[in-house]
Amino acid sequence: LYGTGVVLYSGSSIAAGGGGNVTIDGTGGNGTSNNDGVATNSGSSITAEAGNIEITGTAGGTASQNRGVNIAGTTLTTTGGNIALVGTGSGTGSSNTGVFTATATLTTAGLGNITIQGTAGTGGLNTTYNQGVRLATTTATTATGYIDIDGTGSATGSGTYATGVQLLTSILQTSGLGAGSSIAVDGT
């Protein structure tokens, strides 16, 4: 986690009661690798009782593993608001993903929406996994709200897996009960 802007270490918890929001904004350092904007570790949780959860991360770094938002083994839950993840990767190496989630759960109730927007780092010759959004073993669920995922992969890198959006063993689901209960995935 080295030069990460904001880190939630294992077992950390952030909870906002009432209509309070949770807003996290992080910018990574200027080293070579592992300069995430925002990162969470396994067993962490972020909860907003009736407010929104907004996480924005801008990676620093020039080489590899510089992710904008890196959510690992974490639960994000709101019973009356929205969840928004916005991340921008950095660096000319590999795995500079805009938004990366692994073994994560994102849940909204009521009219709450889930939006994820990620832009990869530039990547370079023979680099890999410079993806806009990568969801691995992740479940995103809304009740009557929508799920909107928008990812832009590396435009200049010549390596593999420079995809806009990649879902790996992940589930996106809505109850389908509301007029706006839809799922949109847009990758470039």
Side-chain angles (χ1 to χ4, degrees):
L1 301 173
Y2 310 96
T4 298
V6 176
V7 182
L8 270 68
Y9 282 102
S10 298
S12 297
S13 176
I14 297 176
N21 300 317
V22 176
T23 303
I24 301 173
D25 192 343
T27 301
N30 295 319
T32 54
S33 299
N34 299 295
N35 297 281
D36 295 343
V38 176
T40 68
N41 287 174
S42 179
S44 296
S45 66
I46 301 172
T47 305
E49 183 178 333
N52 301 317
I53 298 173
E54 300 177 359
I55 301 176
T56 304
T58 303
T62 57
S64 300
Q65 307 270 350
N66 298 303
R67 300 176 175 118
V69 174
N70 183 3
I71 305 294
T74 301
T75 299
L76 282 65
T77 307
T78 176
T79 58
N82 304 313
I83 295 174
L85 307 179
V86 180
T88 304
S90 175
T92 57
S94 296
S95 299
N96 297 311
T97 306
V99 175
F100 174 69
T101 67
T103 319
T105 302
L106 289 67
T107 306
T108 65
L111 298 173
N113 305 311
I114 297 174
T115 59
I116 302 173
Q117 181 178 349
T119 303
T122 56
L125 182 65
N126 298 323
T127 59
T128 59
Y129 294 106
N130 289 302
Q131 300 164 315
V133 175
R134 184 182 189 202
L135 308 182
T137 320
T138 294
T139 300
T141 306
T142 66
T144 58
Y146 62 77
I147 298 174
D148 189 354
I149 300 175
D150 189 349
T152 302
S154 171
T156 58
S158 62
T160 57
Y161 301 111
T163 50
V165 177
Q166 182 189 52
L167 274 65
L168 178 64
T169 321
S170 292
I171 298 170
L172 307 178
Q173 59 187 8
T174 70
S175 70
L177 297 176
S181 184
S182 60
I183 299 174
V185 179
D186 185 8
T188 304

